[in-house]
Amino acid sequence: DGRDLRRLTDDLARDRGPRWTPDGSAMLFYSNRGGSYAAWSIRPDGSGLMKLVEDARGFIYPSMSPTDGRVTVLSDSRLEAYILTPPFPATGDRIQVLPNAAVAGGYISPSLWSRDGKWLSGAWVSSSGEPSGAAVYDVAAGRAHQLTTDRGIWAAPFLPDSRRIAYFSASSELVVVDFPQGKRRVVAVTLPLPAAREALVIAPDGRTIYYGAQRIESNVWKVERQ
């Protein structure tokens, strides 16, 4: 209800990309507190800070499967995706590259799981490294599918039916894609401020969208020489 605002980290590290675990018992995020970026978790009361992966490579945007507790992460270059298998921190062969992530001359950069644990959603990234559409990944089949060519997308959360994803395009259009049907629909909405396309969450009942707004401004300063 907005009355309990609580700060969970207070340090010099860059703590970013917070996401709840499916059961709400912890929050996943990535941080450079150990030098390079890595995936971490923390409980809602600020206790239980734990690194999710022990590896020299950098990892960002952790997201947990609602069915088996596995966690997907991206390399900090966003060029590869990995699946971490519990228990955590994951090491060795419990850090696996997501197979067959390439599609249509690019690759999927997955960031979110569907409610049924069967799909991953994320950006379709061109060979130049630019986010150039939305994509989904069939976890059981190990296959990626490019859905759209809307640019600038990173987060595309699933609606509760696990058949549709939603995201804001570069022009702040709210887009809903029914990917089994191959249908893309723009929902008419007027935003008070442009949407920050990485910060988008759909409530469990699918009736409310929470998004981060962005405002860019500049100020003019005067300096007097003494």
Side-chain angles (χ1 to χ4, degrees):
D1 58 8
R3 290 179 294 183
D4 185 13
L5 180 63
R6 190 176 308 172
R7 185 169 182 171
L8 298 186
T9 63
D10 187 4
D11 48 55
L12 296 178
R14 296 176 180 177
D15 304 326
R16 296 175 171 174
R19 290 172 180 160
W20 289 103
T21 58
D23 63 3
S25 64
M27 189 174 290
L28 309 184
F29 66 102
Y30 68 96
S31 172
N32 67 347
R33 62 184 56 241
S36 61
Y37 279 112
W40 295 76
S41 69
I42 192 170
R43 297 192 187 105
D45 62 2
S47 66
L49 180 66
M50 180 179 65
K51 196 174 184 180
L52 297 179
V53 54
E54 289 292 351
D55 192 277
R57 291 166 291 186
F59 297 111
I60 59 177
Y61 290 111
S63 180
M64 182 174 285
S65 165
T67 57
D68 58 17
R70 291 185 297 170
V71 171
T72 54
V73 290
L74 300 178
S75 66
D76 59 5
S77 64
R78 301 184 192 242
L79 295 178
E80 286 185 311
Y82 296 81
I83 290 186
L84 312 178
T85 302
F88 299 115
T91 59
D93 60 3
R94 289 187 285 113
I95 308 171
Q96 297 288 332
V97 174
L98 189 72
N100 305 314
V103 58
Y107 56 92
I108 185 173
S109 183
S111 59
L112 293 168
W113 291 79
S114 63
R115 307 289 175 90
D116 59 12
K118 295 180 179 180
W119 298 89
L120 290 162
S121 68
W124 176 77
V125 182
S126 68
S127 56
S128 66
E130 180 183 0
S132 303
V136 292
Y137 183 87
D138 185 332
V139 177
R143 185 181 303 118
H145 305 269
Q146 182 189 356
L147 302 179
T148 68
T149 56
D150 295 312
R151 294 184 178 275
I153 299 164
W154 285 116
F158 288 86
L159 274 75
D161 59 12
S162 295
R163 295 172 51 90
R164 292 173 293 166
I165 61 171
Y167 57 84
F168 284 110
S169 69
S171 57
S172 288
E173 289 181 325
L174 178 58
V175 179
V176 176
V177 180
D178 184 329
F179 54 89
Q181 298 293 325
K183 295 181 179 179
R184 176 189 180 278
R185 181 168 62 97
V186 176
V187 179
V189 60
T190 301
L191 303 178
L193 289 170
R197 294 182 297 278
E198 292 187 32
L200 178 62
V201 177
I202 298 177
D205 62 5
R207 298 176 60 87
T208 305
I209 290 179
Y210 301 89
Y211 81 97
Q214 62 181 358
R215 172 183 289 159
I216 300 174
E217 63 179 44
S218 299
N219 296 300
V220 176
W221 289 75
K222 181 184 70 172
V223 178
E224 293 185 5
R225 186 176 65 182
Q226 300 295 326

